[in-house]
Amino acid sequence: MNINEERLINRIKTLGDTGRDAENRVMRVAATDEDKLGRDLVKSWMQEAGLRIEIDRIGNVFGIWETEENKNEEPVFIGSHIDSVINAGIYDGCYGILSGLEVVETLKENNVETKRPIVASFYTNEEGVRYQPDMMGSLVYAGGMDVDEVLKTVGTDGTILGEELERIGYAGNKEPGFLKPHSYVELHVEQGSILHKEGIPVGAVENLQGISWQKITIKGVANHAGTTPMYLRHDAGYVASEIIKFVHDMCEKIPNSVGTIGMIKFLPNAINVIPSLCEFTVDLRNPDNDKLIELEEKFDAFLKEICEREEVEFEKERLVRFDPVKFDEHIVKLIEDEAKSRNIKIKRMTSGAGHDAQMMARICDVAMIFVPSIDGISHNPKELTEDKDLVQGANILLGVIEKLANE
């Protein structure tokens, strides 16, 4: 049994052409008009497939395939997201939910009966561009945040999330968590270069890195760039540069670590003025929680030491902290076995990016399937995965879901 290749690829391209701006950029940022267009399209495909549609209060959308015989059993979830970053590619998230829908349709068309319902689901604000934190919809669904508080979240443009969901017609009436999943599987493009570089068509994702995000503000003293000797400066820009180098060097020394300074802002931001303030973000990741804690502790110690040395002040704000996630060994093994049964080479992997799967792992057994991203490009219109890899991944998902739905 195989999925309908043409239908899957055409849907990925059609959704990829939906929610573009005047400059032809994919702009389905959460709860925008462009996001609504994508939601409406995927929901219409779910309805055409005969699925029952439910929407919860945080805007997560569920296409439910159930029968009289299995409707009281815990369902198998297949999920991902369709919201995007600014100027996105067409595969991130979208491939997962459209493959999930394709799996359900293939099983229905082949008159396969399952012991459990199957739910194709997509979650609100996975990317976290307009509202923070990212992976918001799945986090709320898994009980990690209170829905009433999250709906009050103020976006980067001053909008209120709950009001925007109402405006676009996706403020549902179901309480998050209204369906308790038996298991959850997410199919995704890798967003890294490992599979592509190693020539391996499929990855069985066995764990996911922990993520630590902080915003740091260094407060120095503005002064004349020409008349202030180096030894008399309290230079917020210099302190920030030392911290950036420290993060890079630290992550090279601690195995499997990555660190990124992704945003930075200077004040007064003038060529001839010593910066009085520097604000920047620090993103630390490691799949081992003890090592992630080590990164955080070493960073905190250096931050305190250099600020004391340079006689500047600092402030720290915790933005996000997610522990590493170990996925379910049974589902990972099902993924491996399905690939091998189709004579497809497969590799066990760690996910370096965050996904809805890590939130759903709080409430059920979870694993992920990766297919290659050419050159590892993601969050970029040049994001590309070959059609044959997309199809192979969806066929492996099909086999895994059929087995899980009959447990």
Side-chain angles (χ1 to χ4, degrees), residues 25-37:
R25 301 179 300 174
V26 176
M27 296 284 282
R28 289 193 309 274
V29 176
T32 58
D33 292 339
E34 292 79 10
D35 184 29
K36 172 180 169 55
L37 291 174

Side-chain angles (χ1 to χ4, degrees), residues 1-4 7 11 45-46 48-52 62-66 76-79 96-114 116-121 394 397-399 401-402 405:
M1 187 165 56
N2 294 294
I3 58 100
N4 183 323
R7 182 168 58 193
R11 281 179 174 170
W45 286 332
M46 289 178 168
E48 290 170 9
L51 306 188
R52 174 166 65 90
F62 305 87
I64 303 166
W65 178 42
E66 62 187 3
V76 175
F77 275 42
I78 318 167
I97 176 57
L98 295 180
S99 295
L101 177 57
E102 182 59 42
V103 163
V104 174
E105 287 184 281
T106 300
L107 293 172
K108 288 186 67 178
E109 290 163 358
N110 284 273
N111 299 312
V112 174
E113 296 182 0
T114 62
R116 297 182 179 278
I118 301 175
V119 179
S121 52
L397 179 68
L398 172 64
I401 295 301
E402 183 185 11

Side-chain angles (χ1 to χ4, degrees), residues 176-384:
F178 71 100
L179 284 176
K180 170 66 171 70
H182 162 267
S183 50
Y184 175 99
V185 184
E186 184 166 354
L187 173 60
H188 210 282
V189 293
E190 183 192 350
Q191 299 181 282
S193 59
I194 294 171
L195 293 176
H196 179 231
K197 296 300 184 185
E198 296 186 9
I200 299 172
V202 179
V205 185
E206 60 182 350
N207 59 1
L208 193 147
Q209 290 194 114
I211 300 174
S212 172
W213 285 0
Q214 298 181 74
K215 182 171 76 173
I216 307 298
T217 302
I218 307 297
K219 297 179 179 180
V221 178
N223 216 328
H224 196 291
T227 62
T228 309
M230 300 303 289
Y231 72 93
L232 291 179
R233 297 182 178 213
H234 306 287
D235 185 342
Y238 165 69
V239 172
S241 69
E242 286 289 294
I243 292 170
I244 292 169
K245 183 178 186 303
F246 175 83
V247 168
H248 180 274
D249 294 347
M250 173 180 67
C251 289
E252 284 195 324
K253 293 173 184 174
I254 298 177
N256 302 316
S257 299
V258 290
T260 304
I261 310 300
M263 298 170 62
I264 192 164
K265 178 174 70 176
F266 290 102
L267 288 179
N269 202 35
I271 192 170
N272 60 348
V273 180
I274 298 166
S276 62
L277 182 143
C278 184
E279 184 180 277
F280 56 94
T281 57
V282 180
D283 177 330
L284 301 174
R285 306 191 190 204
N286 195 289
D288 182 308
N289 199 45
D290 289 340
K291 287 188 171 61
L292 183 59
I293 291 171
E294 181 183 356
L295 289 170
E296 293 171 317
E297 290 177 345
K298 286 181 180 295
F299 174 79
D300 287 347
F302 182 78
L303 174 65
K304 182 178 180 181
E305 184 272 322
I306 191 170
C307 288
E308 287 179 352
R309 187 200 327 153
E310 296 299 320
E311 299 180 358
V312 299
E313 297 179 356
F314 70 89
E315 293 179 358
K316 293 193 307 175
E317 179 185 352
R318 169 72 69 195
L319 300 176
V320 166
R321 178 54 159 87
F322 295 130
D323 288 345
V325 176
K326 181 172 174 56
F327 289 149
D328 181 71
E329 174 63 24
H330 169 60
I331 304 178
V332 174
K333 188 67 165 53
L334 284 179
I335 294 166
E336 287 181 314
D337 291 345
E338 184 64 28
K340 290 172 183 175
S341 74
R342 293 173 177 270
N343 296 313
I344 299 171
K345 189 176 181 182
I346 190 165
K347 174 189 180 74
R348 287 202 175 206
M349 303 184 66
T350 294
S351 173
H355 297 283
D356 291 311
Q358 78 186 81
M359 302 308 167
M360 298 300 286
R362 298 175 177 219
I363 57 174
C364 66
D365 294 337
V366 166
M368 294 186 70
I369 305 167
F370 276 174
V371 295
S373 295
I374 293 178
D375 292 329
I377 295 172
S378 185
H379 287 183
N380 185 314
K382 293 181 180 179
E383 176 182 83
L384 181 62

Side-chain angles (χ1 to χ4, degrees), residues 29-32 35 58 83-84 124-137 145 150-168 213 320:
V29 176
T32 58
D35 184 29
I58 196 65
D83 70 301
S84 78
T124 296
N125 191 41
E126 194 271 354
E127 295 291 5
V129 173
R130 193 182 187 197
Y131 305 99
Q132 289 190 352
D134 54 353
M135 297 166 284
M136 178 186 281
M145 294 183 74
V150 172
L151 290 173
K152 299 174 186 176
T153 302
V154 179
T156 56
D157 54 0
T159 57
I160 308 297
L161 174 60
E163 294 176 1
E164 287 295 273
L165 288 172
E166 288 275 3
R167 184 183 66 82
I168 67 170
W213 285 0
V320 166

